[in-house]
Amino acid sequence: MTLAAPSEFSPSEKRRARVVVVGAGPAGLTVANILRAASVDCVVLETETREFIEQRPRAGFIEEWAVRALERRGLADRLLAHAQTHSECEFRYAGERHRFPYGELSGNRHFVYPQPLLVTDLVRAYADRAGGDIRFGVRDVELHGIDTDRPSVSYTDPETGERIRIDCDAIAGCDGARGVTRACLAAEEHVTVARHDYGIGWLALLAEAPPSSHCVVFGIHPRGFAAHMARSPQVTRYYLECPPGDDHENWPHERVWSELQARLSVAGAPPLTEGRLIEKRVLDMHNYVVEPMSYGRVYLAGDAAHLAAPIAAKGMNLALHGALLLGDALAAYCAEGDDSGLTGYSASCLPRVWQYQEFSQWLSELLHGTSSGDPFKAGTGGARLNRILNSPAAAGAFAELYIGK
Ligand code: FAD
């Protein structure tokens, strides 16, 4: 926790809000929209520009329960009008294709809606339609007095260079994996950060090419795992397993496409439609969970609280889950003085967080066993796939975890 001397701020620069939301990703914007709808005075602080966050590509698959929760709050109109839905995926393994109809088994679907579109919708709803206070491009955000009943957040104004301090009742830490709020909590004695490193990298790619399959394709291959995921009729996300810490410069256009074609090719599947690569970055795959997710007057949501490597497309869904609970809890506290939701916030979130973490790890072992170079991991990975393809009970359990509920 950083404590600033009072003299750093002139009285005229001080502000007050009931809640300061740090970070305008899916988590922060969901919290802010819920607060605004409950007429709770809040301020959102974001280090990037509006243009940047409305274009930053990342997730694309939203689970049906999350879509319905956004719909109930009037935040899913454009999503419902434009998103495609997916209800099956395909495993390509040992030269064969295996279709997996998780929608039939679970009754739920994924909505394919790129994260920048969701962020755009949430900013519009909060700032343009509801007139919410959001400050872009802020610098050097610091939290103060988080274990007192007078916390505050300070930042440098990007235009004037002045320090501004906002006094508040609570801080929603929604600033993602590289923000300041998690670091603040992690410094506290009774907060733990549990971390798991997969020891693998994924080259995350966005191609200006239409999807080559109507569903997500998982390619389990001795050369390394590969995946295909639709984003829009013009853009497709691909992943290629690579060494952790690899340099994306090692992956020129020709190498990317020849590896994707090799790792995703099976009898009966047409070759992939190739296109210009518009994003190429290496992710060192890891997960973490901050426990508890709150300390004093700071409540973490989304990647600030827990990171799930994009193996099972869980991160944004978990971010929405926590943000929905936190928004409601903060609204009840600010509007009615009821602090039960805030007191129980971390305990309400963590069961789903750990379920999704466990599932991501389980699925990772299935997807990466064949390429691990370890015949034992290859054997057990193959056994997992055979079980979900051949046992109705195992298939049902997998479907439920894959789509969430
Ligand atoms: P973020 O989206 O990271 O938002 C945090 C915000 O805080 C950002 O706008 C950031 O600029 C801002 N910020 C940072 N520091 C500060 C600061 N100090 N002060 C103020 N603001 C700050 N998830 C899925 O569910 N499905 C998928 O298909 C999927 N695919 C993915 C693919 C890739 C390649 C990646 C990288 C991730 C994927 N994810 C997926 C994960 C998903 O993108 C994240 O879990 C999600 O963005 C988390 O939302 P958030 O609001 O918690 O954090």
mmCIF file of all heavy atoms in Angstrom, residues 102-129:
data_model
loop_
_atom_site.group_PDB
_atom_site.id
_atom_site.type_symbol
_atom_site.label_atom_id
_atom_site.label_comp_id
_atom_site.label_asym_id
_atom_site.label_seq_id
_atom_site.Cartn_x
_atom_site.Cartn_y
_atom_site.Cartn_z
ATOM 1 N N TYR A 102 -21.213 -30.282 -27.230
ATOM 2 C CA TYR A 102 -21.434 -29.909 -25.824
ATOM 3 C C TYR A 102 -22.755 -29.175 -25.614
ATOM 4 O O TYR A 102 -23.332 -29.224 -24.523
ATOM 5 C CB TYR A 102 -20.252 -29.099 -25.263
ATOM 6 C CG TYR A 102 -19.968 -27.799 -25.970
ATOM 7 C CD1 TYR A 102 -20.637 -26.618 -25.608
ATOM 8 C CD2 TYR A 102 -19.026 -27.726 -26.984
ATOM 9 C CE1 TYR A 102 -20.366 -25.421 -26.241
ATOM 10 C CE2 TYR A 102 -18.756 -26.532 -27.632
ATOM 11 C CZ TYR A 102 -19.435 -25.384 -27.262
ATOM 12 O OH TYR A 102 -19.188 -24.193 -27.897
ATOM 13 N N GLY A 103 -23.258 -28.529 -26.663
ATOM 14 C CA GLY A 103 -24.546 -27.834 -26.529
ATOM 15 C C GLY A 103 -25.689 -28.812 -26.289
ATOM 16 O O GLY A 103 -26.535 -28.607 -25.408
ATOM 17 N N GLU A 104 -25.695 -29.891 -27.076
ATOM 18 C CA GLU A 104 -26.731 -30.932 -26.892
ATOM 19 C C GLU A 104 -26.662 -31.537 -25.500
ATOM 20 O O GLU A 104 -27.660 -31.873 -24.884
ATOM 21 C CB GLU A 104 -26.450 -32.090 -27.864
ATOM 22 C CG GLU A 104 -27.223 -32.082 -29.136
ATOM 23 C CD GLU A 104 -26.653 -33.138 -30.073
ATOM 24 O OE1 GLU A 104 -26.385 -34.287 -29.657
ATOM 25 O OE2 GLU A 104 -26.459 -32.774 -31.247
ATOM 26 N N LEU A 105 -25.428 -31.717 -25.015
ATOM 27 C CA LEU A 105 -25.236 -32.392 -23.727
ATOM 28 C C LEU A 105 -25.547 -31.487 -22.536
ATOM 29 O O LEU A 105 -25.970 -31.969 -21.488
ATOM 30 C CB LEU A 105 -23.782 -32.887 -23.606
ATOM 31 C CG LEU A 105 -23.399 -33.990 -24.602
ATOM 32 C CD1 LEU A 105 -21.889 -34.133 -24.707
ATOM 33 C CD2 LEU A 105 -24.023 -35.314 -24.167
ATOM 34 N N SER A 106 -25.327 -30.190 -22.704
ATOM 35 C CA SER A 106 -25.466 -29.286 -21.544
ATOM 36 C C SER A 106 -26.680 -28.368 -21.647
ATOM 37 O O SER A 106 -27.097 -27.781 -20.652
ATOM 38 C CB SER A 106 -24.218 -28.401 -21.436
ATOM 39 O OG SER A 106 -24.178 -27.533 -22.558
ATOM 40 N N GLY A 107 -27.204 -28.202 -22.880
ATOM 41 C CA GLY A 107 -28.303 -27.250 -23.073
ATOM 42 C C GLY A 107 -27.836 -25.803 -23.171
ATOM 43 O O GLY A 107 -28.656 -24.889 -23.215
ATOM 44 N N ASN A 108 -26.526 -25.589 -23.203
ATOM 45 C CA ASN A 108 -26.006 -24.211 -23.259
ATOM 46 C C ASN A 108 -25.005 -24.047 -24.394
ATOM 47 O O ASN A 108 -24.396 -25.013 -24.840
ATOM 48 C CB ASN A 108 -25.327 -23.855 -21.930
ATOM 49 C CG ASN A 108 -26.341 -23.679 -20.833
ATOM 50 O OD1 ASN A 108 -27.287 -22.914 -20.971
ATOM 51 N ND2 ASN A 108 -26.178 -24.419 -19.757
ATOM 52 N N ARG A 109 -24.831 -22.773 -24.802
ATOM 53 C CA ARG A 109 -23.968 -22.482 -25.949
ATOM 54 C C ARG A 109 -22.946 -21.412 -25.593
ATOM 55 O O ARG A 109 -23.083 -20.711 -24.604
ATOM 56 C CB ARG A 109 -24.824 -21.926 -27.103
ATOM 57 C CG ARG A 109 -25.906 -22.840 -27.566
ATOM 58 C CD ARG A 109 -26.949 -22.085 -28.369
ATOM 59 N NE ARG A 109 -27.680 -21.135 -27.542
ATOM 60 C CZ ARG A 109 -28.517 -20.201 -28.004
ATOM 61 N NH1 ARG A 109 -28.731 -20.083 -29.288
ATOM 62 N NH2 ARG A 109 -29.150 -19.384 -27.182
ATOM 63 N N HIS A 110 -21.948 -21.276 -26.480
ATOM 64 C CA HIS A 110 -21.059 -20.111 -26.434
ATOM 65 C C HIS A 110 -21.597 -19.059 -27.398
ATOM 66 O O HIS A 110 -22.090 -19.399 -28.478
ATOM 67 C CB HIS A 110 -19.643 -20.485 -26.914
ATOM 68 C CG HIS A 110 -18.795 -21.128 -25.868
ATOM 69 N ND1 HIS A 110 -18.362 -22.438 -25.960
ATOM 70 C CD2 HIS A 110 -18.276 -20.641 -24.713
ATOM 71 C CE1 HIS A 110 -17.621 -22.718 -24.899
ATOM 72 N NE2 HIS A 110 -17.552 -21.655 -24.135
ATOM 73 N N PHE A 111 -21.422 -17.804 -27.032
ATOM 74 C CA PHE A 111 -21.697 -16.696 -27.948
ATOM 75 C C PHE A 111 -20.353 -16.166 -28.410
ATOM 76 O O PHE A 111 -19.487 -15.852 -27.576
ATOM 77 C CB PHE A 111 -22.513 -15.596 -27.247
ATOM 78 C CG PHE A 111 -23.951 -15.996 -27.041
ATOM 79 C CD1 PHE A 111 -24.289 -17.007 -26.162
ATOM 80 C CD2 PHE A 111 -24.964 -15.375 -27.767
ATOM 81 C CE1 PHE A 111 -25.611 -17.396 -25.985
ATOM 82 C CE2 PHE A 111 -26.294 -15.757 -27.604
ATOM 83 C CZ PHE A 111 -26.618 -16.769 -26.710
ATOM 84 N N VAL A 112 -20.167 -16.096 -29.723
ATOM 85 C CA VAL A 112 -18.886 -15.643 -30.275
ATOM 86 C C VAL A 112 -18.986 -14.133 -30.480
ATOM 87 O O VAL A 112 -19.688 -13.657 -31.377
ATOM 88 C CB VAL A 112 -18.577 -16.350 -31.612
ATOM 89 C CG1 VAL A 112 -17.192 -15.943 -32.110
ATOM 90 C CG2 VAL A 112 -18.664 -17.858 -31.443
ATOM 91 N N TYR A 113 -18.332 -13.383 -29.596
ATOM 92 C CA TYR A 113 -18.446 -11.929 -29.628
ATOM 93 C C TYR A 113 -17.100 -11.357 -29.180
ATOM 94 O O TYR A 113 -16.742 -11.457 -27.995
ATOM 95 C CB TYR A 113 -19.557 -11.487 -28.673
ATOM 96 C CG TYR A 113 -20.065 -10.083 -28.916
ATOM 97 C CD1 TYR A 113 -20.633 -9.735 -30.145
ATOM 98 C CD2 TYR A 113 -19.991 -9.107 -27.936
ATOM 99 C CE1 TYR A 113 -21.111 -8.451 -30.372
ATOM 100 C CE2 TYR A 113 -20.477 -7.830 -28.149
ATOM 101 C CZ TYR A 113 -21.036 -7.498 -29.368
ATOM 102 O OH TYR A 113 -21.517 -6.230 -29.595
ATOM 103 N N PRO A 114 -16.329 -10.791 -30.110
ATOM 104 C CA PRO A 114 -14.988 -10.340 -29.743
ATOM 105 C C PRO A 114 -14.999 -9.349 -28.575
ATOM 106 O O PRO A 114 -15.855 -8.461 -28.501
ATOM 107 C CB PRO A 114 -14.476 -9.691 -31.037
ATOM 108 C CG PRO A 114 -15.243 -10.375 -32.130
ATOM 109 C CD PRO A 114 -16.605 -10.631 -31.544
ATOM 110 N N GLN A 115 -14.025 -9.516 -27.689
ATOM 111 C CA GLN A 115 -13.943 -8.681 -26.477
ATOM 112 C C GLN A 115 -14.005 -7.176 -26.775
ATOM 113 O O GLN A 115 -14.680 -6.441 -26.051
ATOM 114 C CB GLN A 115 -12.657 -9.043 -25.722
ATOM 115 C CG GLN A 115 -12.493 -8.321 -24.415
ATOM 116 C CD GLN A 115 -11.405 -8.941 -23.552
ATOM 117 O OE1 GLN A 115 -11.094 -10.123 -23.661
ATOM 118 N NE2 GLN A 115 -10.816 -8.159 -22.673
ATOM 119 N N PRO A 116 -13.311 -6.665 -27.834
ATOM 120 C CA PRO A 116 -13.399 -5.212 -28.070
ATOM 121 C C PRO A 116 -14.825 -4.738 -28.350
ATOM 122 O O PRO A 116 -15.177 -3.599 -28.000
ATOM 123 C CB PRO A 116 -12.497 -4.973 -29.283
ATOM 124 C CG PRO A 116 -11.971 -6.292 -29.712
ATOM 125 C CD PRO A 116 -12.310 -7.314 -28.682
ATOM 126 N N LEU A 117 -15.651 -5.598 -28.941
ATOM 127 C CA LEU A 117 -17.054 -5.197 -29.167
ATOM 128 C C LEU A 117 -17.798 -5.110 -27.839
ATOM 129 O O LEU A 117 -18.585 -4.188 -27.606
ATOM 130 C CB LEU A 117 -17.762 -6.187 -30.096
ATOM 131 C CG LEU A 117 -17.258 -6.278 -31.543
ATOM 132 C CD1 LEU A 117 -18.156 -7.201 -32.357
ATOM 133 C CD2 LEU A 117 -17.229 -4.895 -32.184
ATOM 134 N N LEU A 118 -17.532 -6.084 -26.954
ATOM 135 C CA LEU A 118 -18.199 -6.040 -25.647
ATOM 136 C C LEU A 118 -17.748 -4.803 -24.874
ATOM 137 O O LEU A 118 -18.570 -4.085 -24.273
ATOM 138 C CB LEU A 118 -17.883 -7.312 -24.842
ATOM 139 C CG LEU A 118 -18.531 -7.361 -23.462
ATOM 140 C CD1 LEU A 118 -20.052 -7.426 -23.566
ATOM 141 C CD2 LEU A 118 -18.016 -8.541 -22.636
ATOM 142 N N VAL A 119 -16.436 -4.520 -24.898
ATOM 143 C CA VAL A 119 -15.922 -3.338 -24.192
ATOM 144 C C VAL A 119 -16.561 -2.069 -24.773
ATOM 145 O O VAL A 119 -17.000 -1.181 -24.026
ATOM 146 C CB VAL A 119 -14.372 -3.306 -24.279
ATOM 147 C CG1 VAL A 119 -13.824 -1.939 -23.879
ATOM 148 C CG2 VAL A 119 -13.779 -4.399 -23.380
ATOM 149 N N THR A 120 -16.655 -1.996 -26.101
ATOM 150 C CA THR A 120 -17.285 -0.833 -26.750
ATOM 151 C C THR A 120 -18.726 -0.663 -26.255
ATOM 152 O O THR A 120 -19.156 0.448 -25.902
ATOM 153 C CB THR A 120 -17.272 -1.021 -28.289
ATOM 154 O OG1 THR A 120 -15.924 -1.155 -28.698
ATOM 155 C CG2 THR A 120 -17.919 0.152 -29.001
ATOM 156 N N ASP A 121 -19.468 -1.762 -26.215
ATOM 157 C CA ASP A 121 -20.868 -1.698 -25.755
ATOM 158 C C ASP A 121 -20.948 -1.203 -24.310
ATOM 159 O O ASP A 121 -21.818 -0.399 -23.957
ATOM 160 C CB ASP A 121 -21.527 -3.082 -25.816
ATOM 161 C CG ASP A 121 -21.651 -3.615 -27.238
ATOM 162 O OD1 ASP A 121 -21.391 -2.849 -28.189
ATOM 163 O OD2 ASP A 121 -21.980 -4.806 -27.392
ATOM 164 N N LEU A 122 -20.044 -1.727 -23.475
ATOM 165 C CA LEU A 122 -20.109 -1.379 -22.043
ATOM 166 C C LEU A 122 -19.692 0.074 -21.799
ATOM 167 O O LEU A 122 -20.249 0.745 -20.930
ATOM 168 C CB LEU A 122 -19.237 -2.350 -21.226
ATOM 169 C CG LEU A 122 -19.717 -3.811 -21.201
ATOM 170 C CD1 LEU A 122 -18.686 -4.712 -20.498
ATOM 171 C CD2 LEU A 122 -21.073 -3.949 -20.508
ATOM 172 N N VAL A 123 -18.719 0.576 -22.584
ATOM 173 C CA VAL A 123 -18.333 1.996 -22.445
ATOM 174 C C VAL A 123 -19.496 2.879 -22.895
ATOM 175 O O VAL A 123 -19.839 3.866 -22.230
ATOM 176 C CB VAL A 123 -17.067 2.332 -23.273
ATOM 177 C CG1 VAL A 123 -16.771 3.829 -23.203
ATOM 178 C CG2 VAL A 123 -15.857 1.558 -22.778
ATOM 179 N N ARG A 124 -20.105 2.512 -24.021
ATOM 180 C CA ARG A 124 -21.243 3.316 -24.509
ATOM 181 C C ARG A 124 -22.358 3.366 -23.479
ATOM 182 O O ARG A 124 -22.932 4.422 -23.205
ATOM 183 C CB ARG A 124 -21.806 2.686 -25.792
ATOM 184 C CG ARG A 124 -21.059 3.119 -27.001
ATOM 185 C CD ARG A 124 -21.788 2.632 -28.246
ATOM 186 N NE ARG A 124 -20.873 2.651 -29.359
ATOM 187 C CZ ARG A 124 -21.026 1.941 -30.468
ATOM 188 N NH1 ARG A 124 -22.066 1.155 -30.615
ATOM 189 N NH2 ARG A 124 -20.144 2.022 -31.424
ATOM 190 N N ALA A 125 -22.680 2.186 -22.912
ATOM 191 C CA ALA A 125 -23.788 2.135 -21.950
ATOM 192 C C ALA A 125 -23.473 2.994 -20.731
ATOM 193 O O ALA A 125 -24.331 3.739 -20.237
ATOM 194 C CB ALA A 125 -24.045 0.682 -21.523
ATOM 195 N N TYR A 126 -22.243 2.906 -20.244
ATOM 196 C CA TYR A 126 -21.875 3.619 -19.010
ATOM 197 C C TYR A 126 -21.663 5.119 -19.259
ATOM 198 O O TYR A 126 -22.241 5.966 -18.570
ATOM 199 C CB TYR A 126 -20.615 2.993 -18.421
ATOM 200 C CG TYR A 126 -20.052 3.749 -17.237
ATOM 201 C CD1 TYR A 126 -20.689 3.704 -16.000
ATOM 202 C CD2 TYR A 126 -18.900 4.520 -17.365
ATOM 203 C CE1 TYR A 126 -20.186 4.409 -14.915
ATOM 204 C CE2 TYR A 126 -18.389 5.227 -16.285
ATOM 205 C CZ TYR A 126 -19.042 5.167 -15.059
ATOM 206 O OH TYR A 126 -18.548 5.875 -13.988
ATOM 207 N N ALA A 127 -20.805 5.435 -20.243
ATOM 208 C CA ALA A 127 -20.388 6.834 -20.410
ATOM 209 C C ALA A 127 -21.365 7.620 -21.287
ATOM 210 O O ALA A 127 -21.770 8.729 -20.928
ATOM 211 C CB ALA A 127 -18.992 6.878 -21.017
ATOM 212 N N ASP A 128 -21.757 7.056 -22.437
ATOM 213 C CA ASP A 128 -22.554 7.833 -23.398
ATOM 214 C C ASP A 128 -24.035 7.838 -23.027
ATOM 215 O O ASP A 128 -24.681 8.875 -23.064
ATOM 216 C CB ASP A 128 -22.379 7.270 -24.814
ATOM 217 C CG ASP A 128 -20.924 7.283 -25.264
ATOM 218 O OD1 ASP A 128 -20.134 8.024 -24.648
ATOM 219 O OD2 ASP A 128 -20.569 6.542 -26.199
ATOM 220 N N ARG A 129 -24.559 6.664 -22.662
ATOM 221 C CA ARG A 129 -26.012 6.617 -22.376
ATOM 222 C C ARG A 129 -26.323 7.033 -20.948
ATOM 223 O O ARG A 129 -27.270 7.759 -20.699
ATOM 224 C CB ARG A 129 -26.545 5.216 -22.661
ATOM 225 C CG ARG A 129 -26.653 4.920 -24.147
ATOM 226 C CD ARG A 129 -27.785 3.946 -24.446
ATOM 227 N NE ARG A 129 -27.538 2.634 -23.882
ATOM 228 C CZ ARG A 129 -26.776 1.727 -24.451
ATOM 229 N NH1 ARG A 129 -26.191 1.977 -25.601
ATOM 230 N NH2 ARG A 129 -26.588 0.549 -23.898
#
